[in-house]
Every structure is written in structure tokens, then in C-alpha cells.
Amino acid sequence: MIDLHSHSTISDGLLTPSGLVKHAHSKGIKVLSLTDHDDVEGLTEAASEAKLLGMHLVHGVEISVTWKRDTIHIVGLNVDSQNKTLLQGLASIRQGRFERAKQMAHSLDQVGIKGSLEGALKYAKSGILGRTHFARFLVETGHAKDVKTVFKNYLVKGKPGFIEHTWTSLENALSWIHTSGGIAAIAHPARYDLGKNNLLAFLNEFKELGGQGIEVISGSHTTEQSLKIAKIAEEFEFLASTGSDYHGPGISYREMGSLPKIPETCIPIWKSWNEVNALLN
Ligand code: AMP
Ligand code: MN
Ligand code: MN
Ligand code: MN
């Protein structure tokens, strides 16, 4: 009934903010967070739709971070989407995304794939331009049969279209989330390839910077991975979050409303959110 990680057309999802909320409603979700990449533009529309449907919309965002040399995603929940510091920070990431996109297009150009910047922009309905938009263009032009296949042959390390990019720092992301009244959670922690020592260093740094949450349940985790993350949550005294990371029909890890429950040993991140608990009970 609760899903705290999802995407709309404002970033790289396929459904509009209101379409996404309607979809969540049809899957039995009562509490939804819209967490578009580096943009909070969809929250007003999503919140009004949620209100109409008797749901609760948690104002969220998924921030792209570079920690050491790895890309890590941090979800901010209950952020104030009008907060100037947050808005300015996210705008700076989107600017960086656009510079990266130009370089990605150049890299694809060199393997004979022309016009990918314009092609990707056609799929970007808002201010963020990302690899998923390029992926849709590559499918459209017959370079891969679907988006998943694109991410095997293009846009990833060692393949055409991949550009090493420096996102914002972990410190910035957490400070923007906290300044705007939100709580930070590490997104899909099992998806990073940090190695054991770096993972521990990262978790410690996140905690030292005031990070409180971690996605124990994610659409992109296996059961085994969720159990491992649940242990980490216990050990580091992190609050547990859950989210499908839904991007729309056909391109998502998991359907909404089909995620397992947070293990009993974990404290849900919404434990003190009275309005949310009233809806869930
Ligand atoms: P970006 O932030 O522009 O680098 O793009 C990252 C996004 O690409 C993720 O949020 C996913 O939506 C998508 N993505 C990354 N890897 C894959 C994959 N293997 N299959 C499908 N989508 C992917
Ligand atoms: Mn995405
Ligand atoms: Mn992510
Ligand atoms: Mn996501």
C-alpha cells in the first residue's frame, strides 16, 4: 500500500505525474512518493491527483550523486519542493546533465549514430535529459530491440555513448534535502558495485552527514539482497524505506503494489508520519 520511489515524464518515466498517481491507485497504493531524477516539477500535479483519489503524495526527489568515482542515488522524502536551495541545487545538476548529453551524442556520432541529441530531446518532456531518453531514441532507430538491450550495448562503461560524469557531492545532496525539511534515503543500495570496504565507508559517511534512511525493499532488489540490506539497516540504525522505482509500463523492474513487506526487524521510515499511518492502518 506504500511506494516511496517512482518516476514520471518529468524525468525518465513514461506516465505523466497524474497518470502515475492514477496507476498507483489502480494497484492499491495509498501512499506514493514521486521521486523524479533531479527535478521536483511534477509534485504539484501529482499531489492534486492524489488528493482527488484519497491518496497521500509524499513529496520526493532522487538526486544523482558522485561519491568517490561512483554514481549513487539518494532519495529525499518529505522535501519542501519550493525551497530555493533545493531548487537551485537540482537546476545545477540538470545543467550538468545537458552538458553530458551533448558529449553522449558526440560519442554516438562517432559510431555512426547521428542526431541522437535531438532524438533524445523528443522523449524528454521536461528539464531533465538522461540516458533513458537516449535509449528510447536508439530503440526507435533500430539499434536495439528494447530499452534493456540498449543498456547492454550502449550508454554503459566501455560502450558507445558512455560519458563519465561528475554529479553533485553526497554532502550537497544531503544538505539540500535537510535544508528543505526532508529525510534522505539511499536508493536501491544493492545496485552499486562499491566493494565491501567502500560500501562501509560510504554508509558511515552517509550517516555522519545526517542520512537516516535506506531502501531495504526496492523493485530492483532480489529477496536475498533485501535481507542483506535489512541487516545493514539494523546495524547502522537506518530507517527502512520501500519503493518500486517504477518508470512506466514495460520498462520497470516491478509493477507497483507487488513489493514484499519490510522485514519485522526494520523500522519503517514512515513510523512517525501520522498522516501516512492513518491511511495505512
Ligand atoms: P542517468 O541518470 O541519465 O544516467 O540514467 C539512469 C537511468 O537509466 C536509471 O534511473 C534507469 O531509469 C535507467 N537505467 C540504467 N540502467 C538501466 C538498465 N540496465 N536497464 C534499464 N534502464 C536502466
Ligand atoms: Mn530512471
Ligand atoms: Mn536510481
Ligand atoms: Mn529511481
Side-chain angles (χ1 to χ4, degrees), residues 2-278:
I2 179 163
D3 189 329
L4 299 176
H5 188 149
S6 67
H7 298 271
S8 74
T9 45
I10 295 298
S11 62
D12 56 0
L14 290 173
L15 303 178
T16 61
S18 57
L20 177 82
V21 174
K22 285 192 188 113
H23 181 74
H25 184 256
S26 79
K27 296 294 172 187
I29 300 295
K30 289 189 175 165
V31 178
L32 177 71
S33 187
L34 172 60
T35 53
D36 275 311
H37 298 285
D38 310 318
D39 206 329
V40 289
E41 190 65 37
L43 294 173
T44 311
E45 182 187 316
S48 345
E49 187 64 42
K51 201 168 176 192
L52 287 175
L53 295 171
M55 292 165 61
H56 180 79
L57 194 279
V58 173
H59 286 222
V61 63
E62 181 175 17
I63 304 184
S64 312
V65 161
T66 297
W67 184 79
K68 297 202 171 165
R69 295 194 63 186
D70 286 287
T71 298
I72 306 268
H73 287 172
I74 302 291
V75 163
L77 298 172
N78 279 331
V79 293
D80 169 6
S81 53
Q82 313 293 321
N83 181 276
K84 286 230 162 56
T85 308
L86 176 67
L87 289 172
Q88 277 169 11
L90 297 179
S92 73
I93 303 185
R94 294 196 297 272
Q95 180 62 37
R97 276 186 169 280
F98 194 70
E99 298 306 321
R100 178 187 69 149
K102 287 195 270 189
Q103 292 174 273
M104 286 167 62
H106 181 69
S107 161
L108 289 170
D109 209 63
Q110 286 180 326
V111 296
I113 302 170
K114 308 288 175 199
S116 64
L117 185 63
E118 296 72 23
L121 272 168
K122 269 194 314 187
Y123 292 100
K125 300 279 188 292
S126 187
I128 98 131
L129 188 53
R131 285 188 291 162
T132 315
H133 305 113
F134 278 85
R136 287 178 201 152
F137 170 74
L138 290 171
V139 173
E140 175 200 315
T141 48
H143 291 92
K145 70 172 188 327
D146 54 25
V147 165
K148 278 205 169 70
T149 314
V150 173
F151 279 98
K152 289 199 182 99
N153 302 318
Y154 299 93
L155 315 179
V156 291
K157 222 174 205 135
K159 305 284 178 181
F162 179 76
I163 298 296
E164 193 89 51
H165 185 69
T166 305
W167 304 100
T168 197
S169 65
L170 183 64
E171 197 172 3
N172 281 345
L174 291 203
S175 111
W176 302 338
I177 290 168
H178 295 149
T179 303
S180 62
I183 180 166
I186 303 165
H188 42 69
R191 290 237 302 274
Y192 312 117
D193 199 12
L194 294 175
K196 203 174 171 200
N197 289 344
N198 261 345
L199 176 66
L200 285 179
F202 171 75
L203 295 168
N204 278 313
E205 199 172 319
F206 176 76
K207 193 165 176 84
E208 274 162 28
L209 291 168
Q212 295 185 68
I214 190 164
E215 285 181 355
V216 169
I217 303 292
S218 161
S220 67
H221 285 178
T222 63
T223 310
E224 207 175 31
Q225 287 172 330
S226 293
L227 288 173
K228 190 180 144 208
I229 305 300
K231 286 208 184 94
I232 290 177
E234 251 187 290
E235 196 181 315
F236 281 79
E237 297 182 338
F238 288 142
L239 299 169
S241 191
T242 179
S244 59
D245 205 356
Y246 188 74
H247 280 70
I251 62 160
S252 301
Y253 295 99
R254 286 285 283 263
E255 183 48 90
M256 281 186 166
S258 74
L259 296 184
K261 277 195 169 158
I262 279 180
E264 300 282 339
T265 50
C266 294
I267 304 166
I269 199 163
W270 60 90
K271 192 179 175 226
S272 62
W273 304 352
N274 294 335
E275 207 180 327
V276 166
N277 287 308

